[in-house]
Amino acid sequence: MTRQNHSGRNLCTDATSVFHRLLAETGYPPSLEEVASALDVLPSTMMSVFRDGAHLMEVAVESALLRLHDRCIRAMAVIDGADPIAQLEALADAYIGWAIDHPGVFLAFHSPALGALRENDRFTRFERSVIVLMQRLLVRAKKGGLLAGEDNAEVLAELIRAFICGALHKVMLERLPQGKPDPEDLSEMRANLRLLLQRLVG
C-alpha cells in the first residue's frame, strides 16, 4: 500500500473533512485510526498533528462551528440593518444551510452520541452566540414596534432555535446516511420558519 504524503496543514484539513464525513455516515465520532485509514496514512503520521482521537474531535468540531459563526455573520451583513426581522430570517436560514453542510456535527449536538460536546464551553459558545444574535435582533424588533404582544426576546429566540433544530433533526434522521434532505424538505422548513416569524410580527 502506498501511503499518501501530507503536509501538517493539509493533513489537518483532510483529517477534519474525513472526520465530518464519517461522523455523518455513522453517527459516532471516528477514531484517529479510522480517519488515518480513510486517508491512507499511518496513525503515527496523524499523531504528528493531533495528540489523540479526542484532540482530533475537538479540532474537527471547532472548525465546523467556526464556519457556523462566520456564515451567520456574513448572512446578516448583506441584509439592511434597519430590518431586524429580515436579518433574523437570514440568520436562521444561514443556520439551516450550515447544518445541511455539517450534518454530523449538528446531529451530534442533539443526540446522545456526542452528548459530552454540550458540556464543552469552547463548543457551546459558538452555538450560544447564534442565540445571542437572535435575541439582539428580537430586542431591536421589539423596540421598533415590530413584534406582537409583550413576548420576551430570550424566550422567542429559544423558540425559533427549537423550531429550526427540531425540523432539521427530523428531516436529517429520515435522510442520513443516504443523503442530504430533499430540496422539498428544506423548502417546506423555510416556509414554516417564515410563517413562524410572521406570527411574531405585530
Side-chain angles (χ1 to χ4, degrees):
M1 179 185 297
T2 301
R3 298 290 180 178
Q4 296 184 22
N5 293 320
H6 293 262
S7 68
R9 183 174 182 179
N10 288 339
L11 180 58
C12 183
T13 300
D14 293 346
T16 55
S17 295
V18 169
F19 182 96
H20 292 154
R21 175 174 62 79
L22 295 177
L23 176 61
E25 289 175 357
T26 67
Y28 292 91
S31 67
L32 184 145
E33 290 76 16
E34 288 171 326
V35 173
S37 177
L39 287 173
D40 193 21
V41 301
L42 293 168
S44 58
T45 301
M46 290 281 290
M47 294 183 71
S48 69
V49 177
F50 306 102
R51 293 188 302 274
D52 50 29
H55 184 212
L56 168 59
M57 181 176 73
E58 288 179 4
V59 172
V61 172
E62 189 162 20
S63 71
L65 293 174
L66 280 167
R67 292 189 187 116
L68 167 63
H69 188 264
D70 181 67
R71 191 165 187 161
C72 289
I73 295 299
R74 289 177 181 272
M76 290 175 55
V78 299
I79 304 297
D80 184 355
D83 190 345
I85 296 298
Q87 284 191 314
L88 181 61
E89 185 174 345
L91 175 62
D93 197 59
Y95 189 96
I96 291 172
W98 170 83
I100 297 303
D101 289 341
H102 300 83
V105 176
F106 169 79
L107 288 174
F109 269 85
H110 302 279
S111 71
L114 289 181
L117 289 180
R118 301 211 65 82
E119 300 174 5
N120 188 317
D121 290 340
R122 288 179 58 197
F123 296 155
T124 56
R125 67 187 173 91
F126 287 104
E127 193 176 34
R128 187 63 197 166
S129 69
V130 177
I131 305 300
V132 171
L133 285 173
M134 287 184 181
Q135 291 172 354
R136 289 175 180 171
L137 291 172
L138 287 164
V139 167
R140 285 175 48 205
K142 187 172 183 178
K143 288 181 178 178
L146 299 176
L147 294 185
E150 297 296 325
D151 294 314
N152 181 283
E154 292 186 6
V155 173
L156 290 178
E158 290 293 347
L159 173 64
I160 294 169
R161 174 187 172 279
F163 169 82
I164 295 171
C165 291
L168 279 169
H169 196 263
K170 179 178 183 296
V171 298
M172 282 184 176
L173 289 181
E174 289 175 350
R175 301 295 180 185
L176 291 175
Q178 290 79 12
K180 294 182 178 181
D182 287 343
E184 291 184 4
D185 294 329
L186 300 180
S187 178
E188 180 181 0
M189 186 191 312
R190 288 183 168 108
N192 289 335
L193 175 61
R194 285 193 294 273
L195 179 61
L196 173 63
L197 294 177
Q198 287 170 5
R199 292 184 176 228
L200 298 178
V201 177

